[in-house]
Amino acid sequence: MNDSNIIYKVDGFRFINSLHTTARQLPICSEIIKQLSNKQLPKDILFQLMVKWSIQEESINDKYKNSKGKLTQNGKATTAFKNYLDLCESLKLVIRLNDFYASSRLSFVLKYFMEHNDDNFSKAEKIFYLLQLFLVDSDGILYVLDEINTSSLNQKALQVNFKDNFNLRLVTKQILATPIVKNSINERYRTINYVWQNPEKYAEHLLIPRCEWLTTLGILDIKKNGSSTIYSFTSNGRVFFEKLPVLSNSKLKDINEIWIFQNFFSIINFLYPGNNTISFKDMDPKQKINELGFSLDNALKVVKTSNSFKIPLFDCLVFICIDLFSSKNIIIEMSDVLDMLKAGITYGLKSFNLKHEGRLNESYIISEII
């Protein structure tokens, strides 16, 4: 096992704390982004727009009509809307200002992929959500996958096992964690063991939405067996899971930021394999500049910025890697893009250079006419 498959340093505890069992459908988050678009809307207006959309979906889409976690049931609003807004906030897709909501800067990247794919929930959308879930919720996602790796499990078994098995994950990670991360892990341990009165009941809200997301993303499969719901890996999901790294002191799956930047898209290729994929690393220098330069040029039109010559780095990295993977079958890691930008890229009549500020969310790509 090489070092890219082992996590020696735990750099974060990534877990969406506030979840409700109704927030199961990622496509509803996408629809919220569509409705917001470039607007800033009061919560009540956004609610009305989403209810109208849901009623329409119930009338034309049998799959949606028969699903759980809907915004309406037989034309009447459910209580799920608030929970989807909370999920969108956790995924950093929307910004709340008092009772007004607006799209986040990153959501414009998602919006582009929604508008430029004919599929209802395209490969590009799936990759976007999985990347974002790994960044903000990898401990929740990987916990579920570790549990189902042992054997196909029903909802009841997942809930019953949660307290003991999630405690094991927390204790195992704590040993390798930085002091700040240790505090986050300790707080979660305290909440589960001393604050929650009924961990099994709370677990329903934490586990079931994640199982549904993973099914939408093609990693898990859901089957009904009488009154039971059984979760298991898809064939591609199984391969994807086996390629994920483990903690150095256990067999538990985990990731850190370095792994995401250096390995995420190579592993994604096992989940969403394309035809005749090519690794960016195997291209000749001229090819690299042409492909990356073309995608950077597109990013200028897609990534939201207040200065057309100063592009937010992270949003741009997400756009380029998903764009090249989904449209051209090029496997490129975010670290590959960073390495090229550090040296500077000239494409057409533009130059692109990295302005690194230490923190990723404060770093930019500078575009200049030459």
Side-chain angles (χ1 to χ4, degrees):
M1 186 176 285
N2 60 49
D3 279 0
S4 68
N5 290 326
I6 303 174
I7 301 297
Y8 293 99
K9 181 181 178 182
V10 170
D11 67 354
F13 179 64
R14 300 171 173 89
F15 191 77
I16 297 174
N17 291 319
S18 179
L19 262 185
H20 191 275
T21 186
T22 57
R24 301 172 178 225
Q25 300 193 36
L26 293 176
I28 289 179
C29 295
S30 293
E31 186 59 32
I32 288 173
I33 298 307
K34 282 185 187 177
Q35 296 291 347
L36 283 171
S37 190
N38 287 311
K39 302 183 289 291
Q40 184 175 314
L41 294 175
K43 181 179 178 180
D44 289 346
I45 298 297
L46 182 56
F47 171 72
Q48 291 170 24
L49 290 170
M50 289 302 298
V51 166
K52 181 180 178 182
W53 168 82
S54 182
I55 290 171
Q56 176 70 7
E57 282 296 293
E58 278 193 294
S59 68
I60 63 173
N61 185 340
D62 284 341
K63 184 177 179 181
Y64 180 78
K65 181 180 179 180
N66 297 319
S67 65
K68 294 183 178 180
K70 293 182 296 180
L71 298 179
T72 55
Q73 180 67 40
N74 298 324
K76 293 185 178 180
T78 66
T79 59
F81 176 67
K82 177 191 177 298
N83 300 317
Y84 280 105
L85 281 183
D86 290 344
L87 177 58
C88 285
E89 276 195 85
S90 295
L91 291 172
K92 304 185 187 304
L93 297 178
V94 301
I95 299 168
R96 180 175 59 178
L97 303 165
N98 296 319
D99 246 11
F100 283 76
Y101 286 84
S103 297
S104 70
R105 197 175 62 193
L106 181 62
S107 72
F108 284 86
V109 175
L110 173 61
K111 187 168 176 282
Y112 171 86
F113 291 123
M114 289 190 288
E115 293 173 347
H116 288 75
N117 286 280
D118 295 330
D119 297 341
N120 187 35
F121 199 69
S122 67
K123 178 166 74 172
E125 273 185 86
K126 291 176 182 177
I127 296 170
F128 178 94
Y129 275 108
L130 186 54
L131 174 60
Q132 201 59 10
L133 284 168
F134 266 45
L135 286 166
V136 303
D137 191 54
S138 59
D139 282 287
I141 293 296
L142 295 178
Y143 169 77
V144 169
L145 296 181
D146 269 325
E147 286 295 284
I148 293 170
N149 180 46
T150 307
S151 64
S152 298
L153 292 175
N154 61 28
Q155 180 176 324
K156 180 68 174 176
L158 279 171
Q159 290 177 232
V160 169
N161 297 339
F162 175 75
K163 181 179 177 181
D164 289 343
N165 291 355
F166 200 72
N167 277 341
L168 175 62
R169 180 174 188 84
L170 294 175
V171 171
T172 304
K173 285 196 67 164
Q174 188 185 48
I175 296 169
L176 303 175
T178 62
I180 293 175
V181 178
K182 283 182 191 288
N183 289 337
S184 297
I185 293 173
N186 284 339
E187 181 57 30
R188 179 50 39 184
Y189 185 91
R190 186 186 71 82
T191 300
I192 292 173
N193 292 279
Y194 302 110
V195 176
W196 288 358
Q197 299 300 312
N198 188 343
E200 185 178 323
K201 182 61 180 175
Y202 277 102
E204 179 183 358
H205 296 290
L206 297 176
L207 299 173
I208 306 314
R210 289 179 169 99
C211 289
E212 296 282 347
W213 305 339
L214 290 164
T215 301
T216 301
L217 297 174
I219 299 172
L220 295 184
D221 188 31
I222 295 178
K223 290 181 181 176
K224 285 287 186 181
N225 184 8
S227 60
S228 294
T229 302
I230 309 295
Y231 302 99
S232 58
F233 279 100
T234 62
S235 56
N236 284 356
R238 167 64 65 185
V239 177
F240 168 77
F241 174 79
E242 289 174 352
K243 297 290 181 181
L244 294 171
V246 296
L247 291 165
S248 63
N249 59 344
S250 80
K251 294 182 179 180
L252 295 177
K253 297 290 185 180
D254 200 31
I255 54 94
N256 58 21
E257 191 172 281
I258 292 173
W259 182 89
I260 290 174
F261 271 72
Q262 295 181 349
N263 299 281
F264 179 82
F265 284 90
S266 300
I267 304 301
I268 280 293
N269 188 47
F270 293 97
L271 182 59
Y272 309 120
N275 295 320
N276 303 313
T277 54
I278 180 171
S279 170
F280 185 79
K281 292 180 176 66
D282 295 334
M283 291 179 167
D284 65 52
K286 187 176 180 180
Q287 275 183 304
K288 288 182 177 181
I289 290 172
N290 284 339
E291 294 294 356
L292 187 51
F294 182 77
S295 195
L296 277 164
D297 221 15
N298 282 340
L300 289 173
K301 305 164 196 162
V302 176
V303 174
K304 191 76 169 174
T305 178
S306 57
N307 184 335
S308 58
F309 298 103
K310 192 177 178 184
I311 325 165
L313 176 62
F314 179 71
D315 301 26
C316 196
L317 292 175
V318 173
F319 172 77
I320 288 169
C321 293
I322 297 178
D323 181 45
L324 290 179
F325 185 91
S326 61
S327 66
K328 296 192 175 182
N329 292 326
I330 296 172
I331 302 168
I332 181 170
E333 300 292 352
M334 290 190 278
S335 59
D336 295 330
V337 182
L338 285 173
D339 288 343
M340 294 283 287
L341 286 169
K342 285 173 185 175
I345 296 170
T346 300
Y347 178 78
L349 298 176
K350 295 189 184 81
S351 69
F352 298 93
N353 292 278
L354 182 63
K355 176 74 170 175
H356 206 292
E357 299 290 354
R359 292 185 179 182
L360 192 65
N361 60 357
E362 297 172 355
S363 300
Y364 292 87
I365 297 169
I366 304 297
S367 167
E368 296 178 313
I369 304 294
I370 55 175

